Structures are given as C-alpha cells and as structure tokens.
Amino acid sequence: MGMADIFDVIADGTRRDILQLLLESAGSGQDTGTSVSNIVQALGASQPTVSKHLKVLRDAGLVSVREEGQHRFYSLEAGPLGTVDDWLVPFLIDETDAAILADPYADDDGSPSLPEGAQHAAEVFGRTAAQAKHVVATAMKRLGV
C-alpha cells in the first residue's frame, strides 16, 4: 500500500474512531478482538457503515479479523501506520536532531566518518531514537509531567 493510500484510509474520522477503539481494546491486555456489534454500539453508527469501514481498514492491513461461528472479531494491526510515522517524524524533530540524523558521526568539517553501509545503519538507528524520543515526550505531556 502506498503512502497516499494509507493517508486516505485514516483521513476518515469514523475509521480513526474504529482504530482508536481497537487500540483501547488491545491495551486491555487480553485482546481477542472486538466484535462488530461492540464497535457499532461504541460508535453509535449503523452496522452496514461500520462493516464498510472495517473492510477498508482490513484491505489496508490495519485490522485483522478472527471468525468464530457467525461472529467476527477485529484487532488492530498497527504496522502499516509506520508509513505515516516515517513521514511525520521529520516534522516533529528539532534542527539538532535533524543534523544528527543526517550524519550522526560526521567529522568537524562535515565529511562523513563512517563507510556508506554504516552511515545507513546509523541513520536508521538515529531515526528510531528520534521516534522514541518523540513518543516519550508526547506521553510525558499527556501525563502532565
């Protein structure tokens, strides 16, 4: 799925509400999935509307479904949201982080100090660290710390 596609999928407020609901369900520690009827009840939307949105989310790989008799239980699959995260992180880091991400091991004169393969590995690690820094900072803000 391309980047534009995932943004189109999460652009819809009802689909974001469904993802949020599934995230909260997963956070309960015993995620066996959430039934369509639970989603309908929680969102106050019609069953056909919820089913339509669940199909879009399933096609995008954002939810998985487990069938049990006549019932279907949906669970969050957050992996595809990594595309959004990768796109968003550069907007959330400051200039110092950006310079470090560009080449965390640059010599004082700006020339790269690592072989190309190692530079790439360092860049990936740096991006991951920047994402983790953002997640921690966001969590602390939410907690009022």
Side-chain angles (χ1 to χ4, degrees), residues 120-144:
H120 175 71
E123 183 180 323
V124 170
F125 178 78
R127 189 176 303 118
T128 302
Q131 289 170 335
K133 175 183 173 183
H134 173 71
V135 167
V136 169
T138 302
M140 291 180 80
K141 279 183 198 167
R142 285 186 184 151
L143 293 170

Side-chain angles (χ1 to χ4, degrees), residues 84-108:
V84 177
D85 200 36
D86 290 346
W87 184 84
L88 200 55
V89 163
F91 295 95
L92 303 174
I93 59 177
D94 59 31
E95 288 177 25
T96 305
D97 290 334
I100 291 169
L101 282 176
D103 185 356
Y105 300 100
D107 290 337
D108 290 339

Side-chain angles (χ1 to χ4, degrees), residues 47-66:
Q47 193 272 331
T49 297
V50 168
S51 292
K52 179 187 75 173
H53 287 301
L54 284 167
K55 180 179 180 348
V56 172
L57 291 168
R58 196 172 65 237
D59 290 347
L62 286 166
V63 300
S64 60
V65 62
R66 178 177 61 83

Side-chain angles (χ1 to χ4, degrees), residues 8-114:
D8 289 342
V9 170
I10 63 171
D12 183 275
T14 301
R15 289 195 285 267
R16 288 195 310 273
D17 289 345
I18 291 171
L19 291 174
Q20 184 71 43
L21 188 67
L22 295 177
L23 176 64
E24 290 165 6
S25 172
S28 69
Q30 54 211 13
D31 185 30
T32 56
T34 302
S35 70
V36 177
S37 59
N38 281 351
I39 297 169
V40 166
Q41 185 178 1
L43 299 184
S46 72
Q47 193 272 331
T49 297
V50 168
S51 292
K52 179 187 75 173
H53 287 301
L54 284 167
K55 180 179 180 348
V56 172
L57 291 168
R58 196 172 65 237
D59 290 347
L62 286 166
V63 300
S64 60
V65 62
R66 178 177 61 83
E67 295 186 26
E68 199 173 283
Q70 296 295 320
H71 302 285
R72 291 179 174 196
F73 297 90
Y74 289 84
S75 296
L76 178 65
E77 297 292 335
L81 293 174
T83 303
V84 177
D85 200 36
D86 290 346
W87 184 84
L88 200 55
V89 163
F91 295 95
L92 303 174
I93 59 177
D94 59 31
E95 288 177 25
T96 305
D97 290 334
I100 291 169
L101 282 176
D103 185 356
Y105 300 100
D107 290 337
D108 290 339
D109 65 0
S111 63
S113 61
L114 293 174

